[in-house]
Amino acid sequence: MFHPPTPCLVVNAEIVRRNISSMQAYVNQHGLELRPHTKTHKSIHVGTLQREAGAYGLTVAKAGEAAVMAQVTDNVMMAYPPVDLPRCERLAKLARDASLVVGLDSELAVERLAETTQSAGTNVDVLVDVDIGYQRTGVQSDEDAVRLAQCVERSKSLQLKGLMLYAGKITGSAAEQTAQMQQLNSRLKALLPKWDAAGLCREVISSGSTPSAKYSHLVPAVTEIRPGTYVYNDMNIVRGGYCKMEDCAARIHATVVSTNVKGQVVIDAGSKTLTSDKCGPDPDSGFGHIAEYPAAKLFSLTEEHGQVDISKCDRVPELGERMTIIPNHICVCVNMQDSFWWCDAGAEPRQLPVDARGLLI
């Protein structure tokens, strides 16, 4: 029986392949390109599976991640604004060996990326990041989008390719997401005539987010999507109604290390393993779902300890017993692991590296 040291991350290969296949089938059906965000798995192995299934390219958040994923594909997008010089310099050098697309939202980012690419003798494609309601990054008006695009066009080493959107605010039921996608469609219908009137390139209109991914066809102008979490899924996706429990490919294995307090057990997975992120759709549900004890609540995390309320369970977990937990936010969990166990039917489990772990620049 497979008993790796705990706490550890274990990934079910069959579920991963099923999730990859499902998203690829969706984009194929609707004439879209898929550029998965690798922030979820940070793995050359999993990225390779996505590319082999038909993904057009891969998406990252940091230049260091771009360098890792360039080993999988020469088509890498960084969906994150490169304002600081070290990051711009790293991208400029990487562009010698890979085709890079960068999303940005300021003239300073344009200036610095242009300066470093010109110095390196390289070229980088650019998408203008437009905020569609998430209020994190992205220009705030149609006029600002056009103005920034024209700034990109004035550079000799940057090529404008289109627009980048982040659809993270689009959530809810099918009816709610349909209505929100219609609002997004209206927003683009207002922007694109101004964009086109300025003679700007819109070869690519890239959208993102797992919850809204399979509603992307409701916005005809979108050409590609960048979902990330779908490859593993987590309790945010389950409780949001966007997948089923059996679609969760990655789980934390933990061991019960203490049973001394009545109505509670303690496991060896704390905030350094599971993260302290609450579940967005159900913030009072605890810090993950324990598969063997669905009535239990993982109610508190300190660095190395997870406290589990078992008062509603029909049996009491034993000291030394193993538990499997579906985390609230799998992306953060992965980034805290040096490696993970890849479990494929009919094969011995393999320990694989989290290749892009901890690459913050």
Side-chain angles (χ1 to χ4, degrees):
M1 186 176 290
F2 176 54
H3 281 300
T6 64
C8 64
L9 176 65
V10 178
V11 176
N12 184 305
E14 180 182 354
I15 299 175
V16 170
R17 292 194 185 96
R18 190 171 70 226
N19 292 342
I20 290 173
S21 177
S22 175
M23 191 63 73
Q24 191 65 49
Y26 166 78
V27 297
N28 291 347
Q29 178 184 354
H30 294 286
L32 295 163
E33 297 287 2
L34 180 62
R35 198 194 294 263
H37 206 308
T38 61
K39 67 185 179 66
T40 300
H41 58 73
K42 291 177 171 278
S43 162
I44 288 174
H45 179 75
V46 179
T48 299
L49 293 179
Q50 290 173 315
R51 282 283 288 144
E52 289 174 347
Y56 172 66
L58 296 174
T59 302
V60 300
K62 301 298 174 72
E65 295 173 344
V68 171
M69 293 307 157
Q71 298 176 55
V72 178
T73 174
D74 63 358
N75 189 334
V76 179
M77 175 181 177
M78 191 173 92
Y80 194 91
V83 173
D84 57 299
L85 279 172
R87 187 170 289 150
C88 290
E89 288 169 349
R90 190 164 188 180
L91 288 171
K93 292 176 182 177
L94 181 60
R96 293 171 179 160
D97 303 310
S99 175
L100 296 183
V101 185
V102 175
L104 48 73
D105 67 354
S106 69
E107 290 192 13
L108 180 60
V110 173
E111 291 167 4
R112 288 188 168 171
L113 191 58
E115 174 189 341
T116 52
T117 49
Q118 287 177 33
S119 177
T122 55
N123 294 278
V124 169
D125 293 338
V126 169
L127 303 180
V128 171
D129 182 4
V130 177
D131 181 19
I132 58 171
Y134 200 77
Q135 296 192 317
R136 184 172 64 184
T137 64
V139 296
Q140 298 296 300
S141 72
D142 297 351
E143 292 71 25
D144 286 342
V146 170
R147 188 159 41 247
L148 186 58
Q150 291 171 330
C151 180
V152 173
E153 286 198 318
R154 290 193 290 272
S155 166
K156 295 179 180 179
S157 56
L158 304 181
Q159 289 77 44
L160 179 69
K161 288 295 182 179
L163 297 154
M164 182 184 99
L165 319 170
Y166 178 60
K169 194 175 180 180
I170 298 177
T171 58
S173 66
E176 289 169 332
Q177 291 209 44
T178 297
Q180 291 172 77
M181 281 296 186
Q182 290 171 345
Q183 292 174 0
L184 172 54
N185 198 35
S186 296
R187 170 74 190 279
L188 284 179
K189 283 184 175 181
L191 166 59
L192 291 179
K194 301 170 188 175
W195 189 272
D196 294 342
L200 300 169
C201 174
R202 59 174 170 108
E203 177 184 328
V204 176
I205 298 183
S206 179
S207 186
S209 176
T210 288
S212 64
K214 291 185 178 179
Y215 293 86
S216 301
H217 63 283
L218 298 177
V219 186
V222 167
T223 64
E224 70 173 35
I225 58 173
R226 314 181 308 276
T229 309
Y230 81 95
V231 72
Y232 286 167
N233 289 311
D234 55 26
M235 291 311 297
N236 277 321
I237 305 302
V238 172
R239 296 193 191 280
Y242 315 118
C243 80
K244 297 179 180 179
M245 205 81 76
E246 55 263 36
D247 298 320
C248 293
R251 307 187 183 212
I252 295 294
H253 285 215
T255 299
V256 176
V257 295
S258 180
T259 59
N260 289 315
V261 177
K262 185 178 180 180
Q264 163 185 297
V265 299
V266 177
I267 58 175
D268 61 354
S271 62
K272 287 181 176 178
T273 301
L274 288 164
T275 92
S276 55
D277 286 9
K278 292 184 177 180
C279 183
D282 190 359
D284 295 325
S285 61
F287 294 97
H289 173 78
I290 301 176
E292 296 83 3
Y293 295 91
K297 182 176 181 179
L298 184 50
F299 69 93
S300 178
L301 298 180
T302 46
E303 290 183 70
E304 308 293 354
H305 303 78
Q307 292 172 256
V308 183
D309 180 349
I310 59 168
S311 61
K312 296 181 180 179
C313 297
D314 56 8
R315 63 187 179 91
V316 177
E318 297 180 1
L319 187 65
E321 184 176 341
R322 287 171 174 255
M323 294 180 168
T324 54
I325 303 147
I326 302 174
N328 287 338
H329 191 178
I330 188 59
C331 307
V332 185
C333 291
V334 168
N335 193 51
M336 292 192 290
Q337 309 292 324
D338 286 323
S339 61
F340 62 99
W341 289 96
W342 179 259
C343 295
D344 213 342
E348 286 292 319
R350 288 189 289 158
Q351 195 168 18
L352 299 176
V354 181
D355 301 283
R357 183 203 174 188
L359 298 176
L360 303 179
I361 298 175

